[in-house]
Amino acid sequence: MSRREPIAVVGIGCRFPQAHGPQEYWSLLDEGQDAIGPTPPYRDGGRSGLDPRLDRAGASVRGSLVDVERFDWRAFRISPRESTYIDPQQRLLLQTAWEALESAGIPHEAVAGTRAGVFVGIMWPDYAKLLAADPSRLAGYATSGAGFALAANRVSYQFDLRGPSVALDVQCASSLTAVHHACTSLWSGESELAFAGGVNLILTADADVMMSRAGILSPSGRCRPLDASADGFVRGEGVGLVVLKPLARARADGNRVLCVILGSSVNHDGRRAPLTTPSHDSQVELVSAACASAGIAPADLGYVELHGTGTRRGDPLEASALAAARGEAGRPDPCLVGSVKSNIGHCESAAGVASIVKVALALHHGRIPATLHHEQTNPEIPLDELGLRLVTETTAWPQRDGRPAIAGVTGLSLGGANAHVVLAAPADEAVLRAPAARPRRRETQLLALSARSRPALANLARAYAEALDERGDDAARIVDLAHTAALRRSHFEWRLAVVGARAGTLAEQLRSAAERLDLAGKSAPERLAIPAAVALAVPDAAAAERWAAWQAVPDVIVLVGDEDVAGDRALVSLPADARRADVLAAIAALYELGCAVRWERVVTGGRLTDAPTYRWAGERLWVDPAVSPAAAVALEQAL
Amino acid sequence: MSAEAIGALRAYVVERHLDGRADIEPDTPLLEWGILDSFSVAELLEFIHTRFGVAVPPSSISPVHFRTLQTIADLVVSLQEACRVQA
């Protein structure tokens, strides 16, 4: 593809403070919420002996992720023992990649074996420190558990992705740089699809202490971008991946296009400024180069998501450089600016993807969320003169002669490496948003769910029940959910299928099924087993012939009355004069017993919708000097 | 013969490599599902030697033989037979 073909963002997976998934993240931003809270105890088993709440100014609050010690080993088919040695940052990337594929409505089989690239930003080797703290834990597993490369490689391995697989440390510009390189790889044709983003977890006190001593953390505990009382930043944890595809390919494949990437650039300050000081001219060139690669003028930028850490020196420089890049042409049409760090803190190696996802969602939803904690603009930043305006309340995208909205995202790093990405709303957005032809009659539907473990299936069933309840008895929504579950997800070993025409009926069946699964879970440990053989009994030879070329594939088809031919296979029966509901019930039964189903013949109509993503059944898997594995299991069971 | 071997192997794998968190069947794909990997196979060889009195030759350490409890048990049984024949 040519340099300039837009790259579509077709899916998003993410976890940011107090937000799991793009829907929750959008709600948090849209509602102007602040996700900063007290820093939790360090997850290093007490190694540092420090209490984050008491010891260091600026490190006593943070945007935190929860439950990072937990991991769903059954979903990823990694033994519990090996899982314990894997950096939780790698584990989060695995989950996030999975969720990103589900968001994109791409089953695993569709990317397996393809030239899909993985580009992830990562910078802290905290877990390696925990592993090293006790030499007996430097088991063979740790060679693949702790290195940065595996952050990308493990995702490639898990999903059988055969394109480039790269982990990047560019400090706070890591994930944005990862997006840049992913785009370059797509533009050159080296990759046909790419995952891009980054992860940032804070497991030990080390960086908190260093940053606090360097005086760069906010003693008041908030990022205040462009504000007069900006006094440093607050640290944040997060993980995010966007799924990228050339736009033409995304359209051809029927993917949903959330927004497009038009261009990007990276550079380094060189010796223009002292090593850890930003350079004005370098940032001007950065933005100009990114816009040039996007085929637009910097004056066309309608909104820029700043690096915006909320520091007294960094903010004015960044604002001034942006204004200089936009030049005089940009003055009449102020460029809106903002920074998500005001909501979730500075996610360091995941900061860039936090910004990209915010802008992607803002383009998709058609409005820009507010930047928080603004009371009085820093007097060194004359916004009007600079042709900039801070978004302090939800704002519609600036209209520019009917052209699609265009935005920029900046990522800067202490080491002087910088990145900028230019995004836009898709050009034919109106066409894309037009509702598909809606079914005229309400028909019975089949909703098929699956997971790799019993608890994950039970939780997924409950999540779908909630999703059905949310919108009332909307027939179109039911078809969309059925379509998404059947055709836009992979099908795993633990299965559940319900049949019905009403949201209430389906939801009720799902909840009962979830309860039954929970009960079964209490009586025996889960069995990891492949499904047994299945037979389908049909009323007559004609039905046998129709079925054989039809929707679901049992191991053998027998005639009603000849069931003993089926031997000890599980048996499903189709009644004579089967109506649609009977056929669907038989397919549901066959599906639950493990049969492959030709879904495109079963679920017609409907399209990709926001459906629940995998409900991780995580268990605590963590290297912990204080607790032995056996004791950890006992603790887990006691909780 | 192999049923006894399967029983012993199953108990070992469940306790040692799954920490008792799940149970497996004779035909559960152990390598494919991440229950065993190259590191744990090394330990398993030691268990086989101690418990069944046979040393698995390097040529037999392959995904084919270590695919399921059944295939491992079959390997163990065939090695035990070979020992008896030689004795």
Side-chain angles (χ1 to χ4, degrees):
Chain A
M1 64 180 277
S2 74
R3 187 79 172 80
R4 297 273 182 81
E5 184 186 342
I7 287 170
V9 176
V10 299
I12 297 173
C14 64
R15 281 178 62 182
F16 292 113
Q18 294 186 19
H20 187 164
Q23 284 83 31
E24 283 188 19
Y25 187 47
W26 177 249
S27 295
L28 184 113
L29 300 178
D30 201 28
E31 290 163 24
Q33 293 191 25
D34 176 327
I36 305 303
T39 302
Y42 293 112
R43 304 177 186 103
D44 61 355
R47 174 177 156 266
S48 67
L50 296 175
D51 183 344
R53 292 162 301 165
L54 303 177
D55 290 307
R56 288 151 312 288
S60 60
V61 294
R62 181 184 299 157
S64 305
L65 296 189
V66 296
D67 292 337
V68 303
E69 297 96 325
R70 303 177 78 85
F71 182 61
D72 188 341
W73 62 273
R74 281 169 292 189
F76 294 97
R77 297 179 159 175
I78 302 172
S79 74
R81 203 148 52 118
E82 181 173 4
S83 298
T84 307
Y85 290 96
I86 299 176
D87 184 344
Q89 295 183 115
Q90 288 179 33
R91 300 183 334 195
L92 280 177
L93 284 166
L94 286 173
Q95 290 172 40
T96 303
W98 185 306
E99 291 169 3
L101 282 174
E102 291 187 332
S103 148
I106 298 175
H108 297 191
E109 310 80 72
V111 288
T114 68
R115 258 180 311 110
V118 179
F119 300 82
V120 297
I122 183 169
M123 68 187 277
W124 297 115
D126 284 7
Y127 205 63
K129 293 181 186 173
L130 300 192
L131 290 172
D134 183 346
S136 73
R137 273 189 235 104
L138 285 175
Y141 289 121
T143 56
S144 55
F148 282 169
L150 270 297
N153 299 163
R154 208 177 280 277
V155 173
S156 300
Y157 175 70
Q158 179 70 36
F159 297 99
D160 193 10
L161 310 175
R162 303 182 186 182
S165 182
V166 185
L168 308 169
D169 171 9
V170 194
Q171 298 183 320
C172 305
S174 297
S175 47
L176 206 61
T177 304
V179 171
H180 165 80
H181 288 296
C183 290
T184 305
S185 187
L186 288 164
W187 277 316
S188 74
E190 174 188 65
S191 298
E192 48 188 299
L193 175 148
F195 292 79
V199 62
N200 195 62
L201 283 183
I202 304 164
L203 306 180
T204 70
D206 299 14
D208 274 359
V209 173
M210 289 190 290
M211 290 187 189
S212 183
R213 286 184 181 162
I216 55 182
L217 299 180
S218 160
S220 67
R222 288 297 183 275
C223 289
R224 304 172 194 280
L226 306 192
D227 194 79
S229 53
D231 61 354
F233 65 87
V234 174
R235 301 185 71 195
E237 298 183 308
V239 56
L241 287 171
V242 292
V243 181
L244 305 174
K245 258 189 176 180
L247 181 61
R249 182 71 187 275
R251 295 251 191 274
D253 293 346
N255 294 122
R256 190 169 50 165
V257 178
L258 299 166
C259 69
V260 295
I261 294 176
L262 299 179
S264 64
S265 71
V266 292
N267 72 6
H268 187 276
D269 297 347
R271 287 192 82 94
R272 282 170 159 160
L275 179 65
T276 57
T277 306
S279 153
H280 177 276
D281 293 349
S282 176
Q283 288 181 32
V284 174
E285 281 175 20
L286 177 76
V287 173
S288 304
C291 291
S293 92
I296 62 156
D300 294 336
L301 291 168
Y303 172 74
V304 173
E305 175 68 21
L306 302 170
H307 184 68
T309 40
T311 59
R312 287 219 60 111
R313 186 165 52 175
D315 287 358
L317 198 145
E318 197 181 349
S320 160
L322 175 60
R326 294 185 76 244
E328 282 310 311
R331 297 281 178 273
D333 249 333
C335 177
L336 302 179
V337 294
S339 167
V340 73
K341 293 180 176 66
S342 68
N343 304 75
I344 61 174
H346 184 4
C347 295
E348 298 160 2
S349 37
V353 67
S355 299
I356 287 262
V357 172
K358 170 184 170 182
V359 173
L361 293 172
L363 285 165
H364 178 63
H365 288 280
R367 54 185 187 273
I368 305 168
T371 293
L372 311 180
H373 311 310
H374 179 261
E375 277 161 41
Q376 196 194 346
T377 308
N378 184 339
E380 291 177 51
I381 309 176
L383 288 175
D384 287 337
E385 269 176 53
L386 295 172
L388 304 174
R389 190 156 71 83
L390 181 64
V391 178
T392 51
E393 53 188 26
T394 307
T395 305
W397 280 92
Q399 287 306 310
R400 300 260 166 92
D401 311 320
R403 294 183 65 192
I406 297 179
V409 177
T410 303
L412 311 172
S413 78
L414 214 61
N418 313 300
H420 190 87
V421 176
V422 177
L423 301 96
D428 44 1
E429 203 178 350
V431 171
L432 294 173
R433 286 178 189 271
R438 285 330 206 174
R440 268 167 296 159
R441 253 183 21 249
R442 178 186 287 266
E443 282 192 315
T444 311
Q445 300 295 334
L446 189 159
L447 186 56
L449 308 180
S450 68
R452 281 208 169 133
S453 67
R454 182 167 48 204
L457 182 59
N459 290 335
L460 188 64
R462 275 185 278 263
Y464 267 87
E466 254 183 66
L468 283 160
D469 284 343
E470 249 170 30
R471 304 264 198 98
D473 197 9
D474 180 347
R477 169 90 167 137
I478 295 171
V479 175
D480 288 345
L481 284 173
H483 168 94
T484 303
L487 286 154
R488 307 299 193 124
R489 296 280 188 272
S490 296
H491 293 278
F492 305 111
E493 300 75 43
W494 282 90
R495 298 173 166 203
L496 167 54
V498 295
V499 174
R502 304 242 153 236
T505 324
L506 292 165
E508 199 186 299
Q509 290 180 68
L510 287 171
R511 291 201 170 96
S512 309
E515 261 182 57
R516 280 197 303 275
L517 287 166
D518 285 344
L519 255 147
K522 287 187 169 65
S523 57
E526 191 163 325
R527 267 184 33 249
L528 304 172
I530 56 176
V534 185
L536 172 70
V538 295
D540 51 49
E545 221 178 277
R546 273 202 316 274
W547 196 277
W550 214 5
Q551 295 111 323
V553 189
D555 298 285
V556 68
I557 298 177
V558 302
L559 294 180
V560 168
D562 282 345
E563 282 91 343
D564 46 307
V565 173
D568 54 7
R569 295 185 183 84
L571 186 69
V572 172
S573 298
L574 188 70
D577 303 320
R579 292 163 302 126
R580 177 181 165 83
D582 300 311
V583 171
L584 290 180
I587 295 171
L590 288 170
Y591 174 75
E592 288 190 355
L593 289 167
C595 296
V597 177
R598 297 191 193 103
W599 290 110
E600 63 281 1
R601 302 189 195 195
V602 178
V603 182
T604 52
R607 56 182 181 172
L608 177 65
T609 187
D610 284 325
T613 56
Y614 202 93
R615 287 295 183 267
W616 308 109
E619 297 178 22
R620 188 191 151 86
L621 291 164
W622 197 257
V623 169
D624 191 339
V627 185
S628 72
V633 171
L635 180 66
E636 166 81 4
Q637 286 167 350
L639 286 171
Chain B
M1 208 39 205
S2 81
E4 190 218 320
I6 289 177
L9 288 163
R10 185 181 191 161
Y12 164 80
V13 171
V14 166
E15 196 235 301
R16 188 82 185 92
H17 297 289
L18 291 174
D19 293 331
R21 293 162 193 258
D23 199 0
I24 50 179
E25 294 293 303
D27 60 357
T28 303
L30 302 170
L31 294 168
E32 199 188 310
W33 288 14
I35 297 160
L36 287 184
D37 55 46
S38 48
F39 295 115
S40 47
V41 166
E43 282 186 42
L44 177 57
L45 294 177
E46 225 183 275
F47 171 76
I48 289 173
H49 192 229
T50 314
R51 177 70 175 73
F52 300 108
V54 292
V56 178
S59 56
S60 297
I61 303 172
S62 73
V64 169
H65 286 122
F66 286 83
R67 199 173 62 83
T68 66
L69 291 177
Q70 182 69 64
T71 59
I72 300 171
D74 290 345
L75 174 67
V76 165
V77 165
S78 73
L79 288 171
Q80 285 175 326
E81 306 261 315
C83 280
R84 262 193 295 279
V85 164
Q86 279 171 10

